[in-house]
Amino acid sequence: RDFNERCAQCSEVNWGLTDGGRFYCRSCHNVTERTREVVNTDFVSNARIQTISKGLRKQEKTDGGCEWYVCEGFQLVLKKQAEALEALGVCPQMKDEILCNFWRRYLQKTKQAYCNRPAGETVRAFSVCDSSTDVDSEPERPSLLRLLSLSESEGDLQTDCSFVSSISKISESTSVYSGSVDGSLYLMKNRKEKLRMTMPMTLSFCYMALLWLREPMTLSDLLRFVVEGHIPYLNVFQHFPEKMKLYGVDLKIFCVESWPVYEEVYYKMLELAAFLELPRFPDITDSCFLHPDMLCMKYLMEANLPDELHNWTCRVVKKTCIGEADFLTLVPGNKSTRNVKYDVLAVAVIVVVLKLLFLLDDHYEWLLSDFAEERNKNNQEGAPYFEFKKWYKVIKCSLDAKQKKLDEERAKYLWRCEKPLFYSDKKKSKVLKRRQMVVNLQNQFGKLSGSVQPAEKPNPSSFQFTWSEENADGSCFYGHSLKGILQEKCGLLTTMNPDYWLCTVKLCNERMCGHLAHYREAEFPQSYHFVLSLFSFLLRVQPSYIHDEVCVIEHRLFHKKIRKKPKYNAGLRK
Amino acid sequence: PSHEYKLNFKKSKEVCLSYIQDAMLQKQWKRAAEFLTFYIESLEKDFSTEYMGPSEMIWRIGTEILCHHSNSSMKEFNSFIEQMKTLGVKRYLKVCLEHAFHLLCNGLIDEAYQNLSLAESWRFGEQTIIQNKELKLIQAYRGLLDYYSWRKQKNILLEHGQDGFEDLSVEQEMHSCFRKAAVSLKEIIEIPGVWDLFVKCYVDLLEFYGDHNEARQVLNEYAYNSKFPANPNAHVYLYQFLKRHGESKKSLTSALKILHDIVPSHELMIDFNIMLQKSKKRKKRRLGLEVIFAALDYAGWKENVKAWSCLARQMKQIVMSEKHLDWIKQEWNSRKDWWPAFHFSRYLAKRNWQENESLSYEKALVAGILLGKDCKYFKYISHQGCKAQVKRFRILKKFVNKHSPVYLRISS
């Protein structure tokens, strides 16, 4: 009744009171944050309608919890993830600067559609990453800060805010149960927003930051570390402070029940980069870890292949021009450039090289291997010639063992953590009882399991396979020579194999069916499938994913020949 | 296990379950227990409306493992089951019942009784009505255990009676067991179902206390009430009861007739045939022939000397009286294509002669009449028998030779 401000939406002065004690405009049903108590006290001198703080934030709720907002939760998650990455060897700048700034930018961008936050809160949210706002001293890395259009000192975010929609129910954010202040609002309001923050998206943020800094960690590495538990993701809310209570719809937001999927994280990252209107990322040059020349070396080592193959991968990279900085560097929002998955690209190059040298049609590679074996009999000094058969046996053995172990680990994966979660107080006792029973049963049957040690978290390592040249059994192929399968022609060493088969005659339209090619195991040679399965194990992606990339590289490599003959069989002469 | 790249909670628990199943099938109980520990957390996500959710899985799998694992004890099993009882109200009585079975299988009869009594008194609103079937079964089994107590008391009493002791407390105990047992058993028997054990015990109780009418009624209901599933045993129990009480041949016959219709290969068919052969009524004797032929259609009877001797006797009688040869012809009509190979092959002749002379004698008689004196079976057996100078075979040979025209009339 004492409230004489004009409504921001319709400029009327016709206020009523909602059940929650807030004022609402009777003409347009616009609800404000102002509550009656606040109005009765001496308050604001600013004539502009502003979202009004509820006064001091209530620190204590009945259960000892405090009020917190969903994005604060995510901020904590990101902080924890960044700390874990730092522990893994990523430079501290990632945590202190890059990730922080990306996040800030995200908050600012999304605030335009998401705003019932009092000014006081905004400042507090940023205090968590209290870092220097100095311009980055290193010249190669453009500072993000200069690009931020919004300066925080003004603190006038409110001017850009729109009020909460007219449905009065939504303003009562406590009508749907949640520990966070805006949990239900978050889910409801932002349903249509494609870039509503989710748990998988935290990994997109991390990867984006890693990419900006050109850290030596691929996306597949990152996701593997997540699954192995080195980076908080599953049950990350365990690290929330005691006062931040999680229940109700918060669970839907912060609880994860599936492993992150490469494609999902990757494409979200692209969307995010475009949304944040980031500029061209720092160039990926041939001295970067993510450059195909470097990554090929890494994967060649992991696949226990001869070092000499590296020359070939470099040649393919050069010929297809995929080593160019312009090709490799991410330019957000640019639809014309192809988006590069560095790890998949590198292994695809290796697959192409293997096809070039060994054909992989289930015949030739074995013939060639026998041939090399013959030549090896007379080759007593120097490096032994590489025999595909031997390599296959060694790799198959190790791969099967590792795959079996991984399958068992997946079956034994524990999703729940000690901190129990419940939707509401009513369910609390039931949940706790259940948890107690689960623990009892686990103990009971654990004793019957025999002397099985609990699986220890593997030490984080970039390499999943290691091969040692010291092993006398000859199971390491790094130093093996390709001479056994090459021939001299015009003073150059070239492959004995004159043929090549294309994985696909024509590339699909990615926009139509989502894929560039369609991989079906039965339609391809088993050796090819074996090689794909090796790399798909390393990267933890579907073989078809790598197959797609192989198709693309082949088409780049042979594009001249492909253009020449519109109709032909899949075999080519190089 | 497939190489799935998208892994979520549900999928990972499915995979875990398949590991458990593999281990169980290979009787690797330690490994099964190991994987079960990782499966157990799915209880915390048990919002399932699936047919068989995690709690039921864990109950069943856990039971199997604890039964077979070398390190597990009854105490552990009991504590596990008690937890399972609290897991799902909808399954409470079923778990109780199976627990009781388990205890009985391990000889813990008193514990089983306690469990059943406790379960019997369980009430849980609507659930009590929904789980009515299980409740009835629990009552019935509790009643069964009361019956066994009654039997024990009865035996003690009889012993004491022999020794000249009188024991009032035992007698009272016995009667009280009887009352408890009788009520429960009667209740379950009224519900259509297969309750062989309960029926037998209940009838035993009734007979002891002299309530033959009630017993007969119960058995009649059990056998003839169409709501009950067809159960050969019902007719067997009825027949045995009637026989015990010296009932008329007519009622015995009608009881066994139904049994013949349902299970022509039943062992009581011999008794039935013997009874019918003796009858003065032509129809009955005709039926007797039908019954014994039908029984011998089954492989399980091939070497049953008694059955063959029944058939042989009846056929001999018919042949000698020269009346009702058409009976044999009718029965033989549907069998002449396959009985020769089934019963009267040369191989069988050799084997029967080697293993069982009486069997071969009876069969040879039948073969001789049905297939004539030139059939391989008869020829071989009679030859062997005469060679061994066993008197009856000579008589047999004469008999068959004498009545050889009969064969011609049958086979035409």
Side-chain angles (χ1 to χ4, degrees):
Chain A
R1 289 175 194 105
D2 305 324
F3 189 30
N4 287 326
E5 314 273 18
R6 284 194 177 277
C7 170
Q9 271 179 216
C10 66
S11 303
E12 296 277 326
V13 183
N14 186 6
W15 299 103
L17 264 183
T18 66
D19 289 348
R22 281 174 231 213
F23 285 95
Y24 77 97
C25 173
R26 286 207 189 94
S27 321
C28 67
H29 297 289
N30 163 41
V31 184
T32 72
E33 285 290 303
R34 293 187 72 150
T35 56
R36 195 157 50 145
E37 358 178 281
V38 172
V39 171
N40 286 339
T41 62
D42 244 307
F43 173 73
V44 84
S45 53
N46 194 329
R48 280 196 288 178
I49 302 296
Q50 297 181 356
T51 50
I52 289 152
S53 160
K54 283 191 213 160
L56 285 173
R57 184 152 94 162
K58 292 199 282 273
Q59 275 303 317
E60 292 298 309
K61 292 209 279 201
T62 45
D63 56 356
C66 69
E67 289 183 354
W68 58 278
Y69 288 81
V70 166
C71 59
E72 282 180 82
F74 277 119
Q75 196 164 299
L76 250 177
V77 171
L78 283 173
K79 178 162 174 258
K80 289 283 166 203
Q81 290 174 339
E83 282 169 4
L85 282 165
E86 197 180 327
L88 286 174
V90 171
C91 70
Q93 204 173 4
M94 148 114 184
K95 181 187 88 160
D96 296 334
E97 203 184 297
I98 305 298
L99 191 58
C100 215
N101 290 330
F102 280 154
W103 177 243
R104 239 182 269 191
R105 196 169 172 85
Y106 171 79
L107 285 177
Q108 286 166 347
K109 288 250 175 214
T110 51
K111 283 265 177 50
Q112 285 160 6
Y114 169 96
C115 176
N116 63 344
R117 290 169 48 70
E121 254 52 65
T122 341
V123 173
R124 193 166 323 195
F126 293 155
S127 67
V128 179
C129 46
D130 223 349
S131 56
S132 68
T133 50
D134 294 336
V135 170
D136 192 355
S137 53
E138 286 178 45
E140 314 100 76
R141 286 206 261 243
S143 168
L144 266 185
L145 294 173
R146 280 182 285 161
L147 307 164
L148 295 180
S149 53
L150 231 48
S151 98
E152 287 157 43
S153 55
E154 280 174 25
D156 252 356
L157 292 166
Q158 299 89 324
T159 52
D160 295 320
C161 292
S162 59
F163 283 94
V164 173
S165 82
S166 57
I167 305 167
S168 59
K169 219 185 358 171
I170 294 183
S171 76
E172 307 280 10
S173 58
T174 50
S175 68
V176 179
Y177 218 43
S178 70
S180 63
V181 173
D182 58 342
S184 55
L185 176 72
Y186 188 80
L187 283 178
M188 270 201 272
K189 187 108 207 294
N190 294 340
R191 209 182 311 158
K192 292 195 193 126
E193 304 282 330
K194 278 197 281 175
L195 281 179
R196 182 180 79 193
M197 191 65 184
T198 59
M199 280 304 291
M201 232 164 100
T202 60
L203 299 176
S204 302
F205 267 96
C206 288
Y207 180 58
M208 196 163 68
L210 289 170
L211 185 58
W212 184 272
L213 290 166
R214 296 176 294 185
E215 284 287 327
M217 189 185 289
T218 60
L219 180 54
S220 54
D221 286 336
L222 174 67
L223 295 180
R224 189 163 53 83
F225 291 146
V226 167
V227 166
E228 288 174 1
H230 304 299
I231 296 179
Y233 184 71
L234 186 74
N235 300 328
V236 69
F237 51 81
Q238 283 180 103
H239 305 294
F240 284 7
E242 190 54 40
K243 287 184 298 173
M244 270 172 86
K245 302 279 179 198
L246 227 81
Y247 43 83
V249 288
D250 299 332
L251 270 59
K252 278 200 195 142
I253 302 171
F254 290 103
C255 285
V256 163
E257 290 216 334
S258 56
W259 286 359
V261 175
Y262 187 109
E263 293 92 321
E264 197 186 310
V265 174
Y266 177 74
Y267 286 116
K268 240 344 165 210
M269 190 271 295
L270 296 178
E271 265 184 70
L272 199 55
F275 176 73
L276 296 180
E277 288 172 353
L278 296 177
R280 180 181 166 114
F281 273 49
D283 275 11
I284 307 281
T285 60
D286 53 18
S287 57
C288 288
F289 176 79
L290 295 174
H291 191 274
D293 286 341
M294 297 282 257
L295 276 181
C296 279
M297 184 135 70
K298 173 190 191 253
Y299 290 121
L300 282 171
M301 279 178 74
E302 256 197 294
N304 199 8
L305 287 166
D307 298 337
E308 281 182 29
L309 279 173
H310 190 243
N311 300 332
W312 290 87
T313 64
C314 291
R315 278 169 73 179
V316 169
V317 167
K318 190 139 186 223
K319 195 124 201 266
T320 54
C321 305
I322 59 176
E324 314 274 300
D326 284 335
F327 175 83
L328 292 169
T329 308
L330 175 63
V331 181
N334 188 338
K335 293 225 160 65
S336 62
T337 59
R338 236 196 130 237
N339 296 310
V340 181
K341 304 170 202 119
Y342 306 98
D343 35 20
V344 182
L345 184 69
V347 301
V349 169
I350 299 177
V351 173
V352 169
V353 164
L354 289 174
K355 278 177 78 181
L356 282 168
L357 291 172
F358 301 102
L359 192 54
L360 296 185
D361 65 345
D362 284 343
H363 289 296
Y364 195 78
E365 63 273 21
W366 307 112
L367 286 174
L368 215 52
S369 181
D370 290 339
F371 184 66
E373 190 185 344
E374 271 305 311
R375 287 178 73 178
N376 258 333
K377 286 187 186 148
N378 301 330
N379 175 31
Q380 293 307 326
E381 315 130 12
Y385 298 133
F386 177 75
E387 290 172 45
F388 188 85
K389 203 184 271 184
K390 278 204 182 137
W391 174 82
Y392 175 85
K393 281 189 194 154
V394 169
I395 294 293
K396 178 127 178 76
C397 204
S398 304
L399 183 61
D400 284 350
K402 280 235 151 63
Q403 183 72 64
K404 188 167 171 219
K405 192 157 163 257
L406 182 65
D407 288 339
E408 279 201 22
E409 276 168 24
R410 279 186 175 138
K412 293 188 190 173
Y413 205 72
L414 280 178
W415 298 81
R416 295 256 161 281
C417 68
E418 270 148 38
K419 181 168 173 176
L421 294 169
F422 17 84
Y423 262 89
S424 63
D425 268 341
K426 271 190 289 180
K427 301 240 171 125
K428 184 170 178 178
S429 60
K430 190 172 177 204
V431 168
L432 287 174
K433 252 196 236 166
R434 265 293 155 104
R435 175 116 275 264
Q436 189 56 50
M437 181 182 292
V438 165
V439 169
N440 287 344
L441 288 173
Q442 281 172 334
N443 284 337
Q444 180 171 26
F445 286 99
K447 284 197 208 117
L448 292 177
S449 301
S451 55
V452 172
Q453 297 300 328
E456 278 155 27
K457 237 179 10 175
N459 280 332
S461 161
S462 193
F463 283 83
Q464 295 176 70
F465 285 102
T466 45
W467 312 95
S468 170
E469 286 186 289
E470 272 114 49
N471 277 351
D473 58 359
S475 62
C476 179
F477 295 87
Y478 295 156
H480 285 218
S481 162
L482 293 177
K483 278 214 208 95
I485 53 154
L486 296 174
Q487 60 186 348
E488 261 206 58
K489 242 187 194 178
C490 317
L492 285 173
L493 277 177
T494 180
T495 67
M496 279 205 206
N497 168 34
D499 292 326
Y500 195 89
W501 55 273
L502 285 177
C503 283
T504 179
V505 164
K506 192 173 172 205
L507 291 176
C508 259
N509 187 339
E510 202 165 14
R511 247 157 280 181
M512 302 271 268
C513 66
H515 296 283
L516 288 159
H518 299 270
Y519 179 68
R520 268 190 285 273
E521 184 185 334
E523 292 171 8
F524 288 89
Q526 288 187 13
S527 300
Y528 177 70
H529 176 72
F530 174 74
V531 164
L532 278 189
S533 62
L534 169 63
F535 291 113
S536 83
F537 173 82
L538 287 177
L539 264 45
R540 306 280 199 274
V541 294
Q542 307 260 28
S544 56
Y545 216 44
I546 302 174
H547 175 79
D548 280 7
E549 204 72 24
V550 169
C551 293
V552 168
I553 295 178
E554 284 177 348
H555 275 245
R556 283 178 88 107
L557 193 58
F558 296 110
H559 74 273
K560 282 197 207 117
K561 291 220 165 85
I562 293 171
R563 291 245 177 88
K564 259 194 219 165
K565 305 182 183 184
K567 266 193 241 178
Y568 61 100
N569 50 9
L572 282 181
R573 294 258 144 188
K574 292 198 292 267
Chain B
S2 65
H3 306 326
E4 265 295 335
Y5 297 88
K6 291 188 188 188
L7 195 73
N8 58 17
F9 182 91
K10 186 169 169 219
K11 185 84 210 229
S12 108
K13 291 311 167 200
E14 275 172 23
V15 171
C16 189
L17 202 58
S18 67
Y19 273 93
I20 298 176
Q21 288 168 343
D22 278 345
M24 282 172 70
L25 282 171
Q26 296 174 47
K27 304 202 194 293
Q28 295 169 332
W29 303 109
K30 286 208 180 105
R31 191 171 153 87
E34 185 194 339
F35 278 94
L36 186 61
T37 53
F38 296 105
Y39 181 76
I40 283 170
E41 64 170 10
S42 37
L43 283 179
E44 297 186 80
K45 284 275 302 173
D46 196 358
F47 316 126
S48 54
T49 47
E50 290 155 21
Y51 176 63
M52 199 180 268
S55 49
E56 179 150 8
M57 283 291 198
I58 290 172
W59 167 45
R60 297 234 181 252
I61 293 173
T63 303
E64 273 309 296
I65 293 177
L66 287 170
C67 279
H68 293 104
H69 197 287
S70 47
N71 283 2
S72 98
S73 64
M74 211 46 218
K75 188 165 159 233
E76 266 204 56
F77 183 82
N78 285 336
S79 109
F80 170 72
I81 291 290
E82 291 305 325
Q83 286 188 81
M84 292 299 106
K85 285 180 188 170
T86 64
L87 253 190
V89 143
K90 291 193 187 138
R91 212 178 302 119
Y92 178 78
L93 287 180
K94 205 197 284 186
V95 177
C96 285
L97 189 59
E98 298 220 5
H99 186 202
F101 288 156
H102 201 259
L103 290 166
L104 285 173
C105 287
N106 280 281
L108 299 166
I109 304 197
D110 290 333
E111 281 88 339
Y113 191 83
Q114 278 164 24
N115 259 283
L116 288 170
S117 303
L118 202 65
E120 210 182 333
S121 60
W122 182 73
R123 296 285 176 271
F124 203 92
E126 217 182 52
Q127 282 298 321
T128 325
I129 303 168
I130 296 172
Q131 297 184 44
N132 189 45
K133 279 193 193 150
E134 285 85 352
L135 194 57
K136 281 267 168 334
L137 278 173
I138 286 174
Q139 277 174 333
Y141 278 100
R142 200 262 309 136
L144 192 66
L145 291 181
D146 282 323
Y147 167 82
Y148 279 117
S149 295
W150 172 84
R151 267 252 294 255
K152 262 202 306 196
Q153 307 296 338
K154 184 185 85 169
N155 289 338
I156 294 175
L157 214 58
L158 287 173
E159 264 179 41
H160 287 189
Q162 283 179 347
D163 297 339
F165 292 143
E166 265 204 20
D167 203 329
L168 213 59
S169 65
V170 172
E171 209 180 310
Q172 276 178 346
E173 177 78 31
M174 190 181 100
H175 291 322
S176 131
C177 285
F178 157 71
R179 274 189 293 273
K180 286 194 279 187
V183 166
S184 310
L185 291 174
K186 185 177 160 101
E187 255 194 69
I188 191 104
I189 293 168
E190 279 168 5
I191 305 172
V194 178
W195 310 121
D196 289 355
L197 189 55
F198 299 139
V199 167
K200 273 175 91 172
C201 297
Y202 186 51
V203 165
D204 188 26
L205 286 173
L206 290 170
E207 283 192 282
F208 182 83
Y209 285 92
D211 196 349
H212 303 308
N213 281 332
E214 175 75 8
R216 182 183 296 115
Q217 184 145 347
V218 162
L219 288 169
N220 269 314
E221 267 293 296
Y222 194 51
Y224 294 122
N225 187 339
S226 56
K227 288 205 193 113
F228 283 69
N231 182 358
N233 292 334
H235 302 275
V236 173
Y237 298 153
L238 180 61
Y239 167 75
Q240 286 168 342
F241 174 82
L242 295 170
K243 196 162 166 205
R244 273 201 298 277
H245 293 270
E247 299 275 334
S248 68
K249 281 258 152 53
K250 189 167 175 210
S251 42
L252 290 174
T253 306
S254 62
L256 285 177
K257 172 81 171 61
I258 300 185
L259 189 59
H260 160 71
D261 289 335
I262 310 176
V263 189
S265 59
H266 199 277
E267 57 183 5
L268 282 174
M269 291 303 108
I270 293 184
D271 291 25
F272 194 29
N273 169 268
I274 292 172
M275 195 167 39
L276 290 168
Q277 271 194 48
K278 290 193 206 145
S279 170
K280 294 198 180 84
K281 302 221 177 101
R282 201 185 326 149
K283 254 192 182 171
K284 290 274 183 324
R285 289 191 308 240
R286 174 70 186 90
L287 179 61
L289 192 65
E290 186 187 316
V291 161
I292 195 68
F293 258 106
L296 285 166
D297 279 339
Y298 290 86
W301 289 72
K302 272 167 108 167
E303 300 187 352
N304 191 318
V305 183
K306 196 88 178 54
W308 284 106
S309 80
C310 286
L311 178 59
R313 184 195 308 139
Q314 198 166 10
M315 282 180 69
K316 192 167 171 186
Q317 222 172 33
I318 292 171
V319 163
M320 287 192 341
S321 70
E322 296 197 3
K323 271 202 277 185
H324 307 303
L325 283 170
D326 54 314
W327 289 0
I328 298 182
K329 189 169 174 179
Q330 278 162 17
E331 289 301 326
W332 187 234
N333 228 359
S334 58
R335 292 176 170 92
K336 62 180 183 238
D337 292 327
W338 61 281
W339 265 43
F342 191 57
H343 287 303
F344 304 125
S345 65
R346 196 172 153 75
Y347 166 74
L348 278 172
K350 283 193 185 161
R351 216 180 82 183
N352 294 154
W353 174 251
Q354 257 182 347
E355 292 174 0
N356 193 334
E357 194 193 284
S358 302
L359 176 67
S360 58
Y361 172 79
E362 305 290 350
K363 279 179 77 174
L365 176 53
V366 174
I369 296 173
L370 293 172
L371 294 169
K373 63 179 162 64
D374 292 322
C375 82
K376 352 177 212 195
Y377 194 90
F378 175 77
K379 265 174 100 172
Y380 182 84
I381 297 292
S382 59
H383 175 74
Q384 294 291 331
C386 294
K387 203 166 76 171
Q389 295 189 333
V390 180
K391 187 172 174 194
R392 59 177 172 169
F393 284 94
R394 263 191 293 128
I395 301 174
L396 172 66
K397 193 164 183 182
K398 275 197 203 144
F399 177 84
V400 169
N401 281 328
K402 180 174 168 196
H403 293 279
S404 51
V406 166
Y407 156 67
L408 295 166
R409 283 167 65 185
I410 292 172
S411 62
S412 63

